[in-house]
Amino acid sequence: AGTSLPATSESGSPDPSVIVSPASGGSAPLDYAEFLPRVGASLLDGIFVGIMSCIPGGIVGFILGVIGGASGDVGVAQTMTALSSVCGQILGIVIGWLYFALQDSSQKQGTFGKQIVGIKVTDLQGNRTSFGRATGRYFAKWITGCTCGIGFLMPLWTEKKQTLHDM
C-alpha cells in the first residue's frame, strides 16, 4: 500500500494524467488523472510561466525602448517597438518550452503546477520521460490548441482521459 504517484499514456507519449502505484514499481494498471486537476495544474503553470516571462521580457522591452527613444528618429522608435514585440514573443516561447520540457523530464517529473496537484509525467513503465519527448509534447500542445481548444477537453469523454497531445 502507499500513496499513488501519477504517470503517462499508453501511446508512449509523456502524459501527466496517469497514476502509478509506487509499490508496484510502475507495473500496476495505469489510473489516469482527472480533468479538474489537469485544469488546476495548467492554470498554476500559466501563472508561473507568465511571471517568469515578464522579467526578461520587461528588461528587453525597456532596453529597446530606451534605444528607440534616444535615437530621436520616429522610424527607429517604431522599429524598436516592433522588435520589442517580436523579442517578447520569442522569449515567451523559449521560456514556456524550457519550463515545461525541463521540469516534465526532471527528477520531479512534472512542472510546479503538476507537482502541486499531484500529477507526475512518466512513460508507460513509470519512468521519467526524456527531454526530447517532453519537448515534443510541449509543441504538440500547440496542435491541440488549433482545435479551438476541443483537444484540451478530450479527457472529459475519452476512456483514458487523454488530451489530443497525450495520444
Side-chain angles (χ1 to χ4, degrees):
T3 59
S4 292
L5 299 176
T8 80
S9 83
E10 273 190 29
S11 68
S13 62
D15 179 0
S17 64
V18 185
I19 300 176
V20 175
S21 170
S24 69
S27 62
L30 301 178
D31 182 22
Y32 296 85
E34 296 294 327
F35 179 72
L36 288 179
R38 286 170 160 262
V39 171
S42 181
L43 291 172
L44 289 169
D45 287 332
I47 291 168
F48 298 141
V49 170
I51 291 168
M52 288 187 293
S53 297
C54 283
I55 296 167
I59 292 169
V60 169
F62 176 77
I63 291 169
L64 293 175
V66 168
I67 292 169
S71 73
D73 183 352
V74 174
V76 171
Q78 289 175 337
T79 301
M80 290 299 129
T81 300
L83 184 59
S84 175
S85 179
V86 170
C87 287
Q89 293 296 320
I90 292 169
L91 275 171
I93 291 168
V94 170
I95 289 169
W97 160 56
L98 291 174
Y99 174 83
F100 284 97
L102 287 171
Q103 287 194 53
D104 283 350
S105 63
S106 73
Q107 294 263 342
K108 299 274 188 184
Q109 295 177 278
T111 60
F112 294 134
K114 290 174 188 143
Q115 291 172 46
I116 290 168
V117 300
I119 296 174
K120 186 179 275 189
V121 180
T122 72
D123 64 14
L124 287 175
Q125 291 72 42
N127 300 314
R128 182 171 50 151
T129 189
S130 70
F131 177 77
R133 190 170 287 252
T135 293
R137 185 173 189 281
Y138 172 75
F139 288 108
K141 287 180 186 178
W142 293 17
I143 296 168
T144 302
C146 290
T147 63
C148 297
I150 293 171
F152 290 111
L153 298 175
M154 289 176 62
L156 293 172
W157 65 81
T158 59
E159 181 181 338
K160 296 176 185 165
K161 302 175 187 166
Q162 294 174 295
T163 62
L164 183 60
H165 59 272
D166 292 330
M167 297 183 171

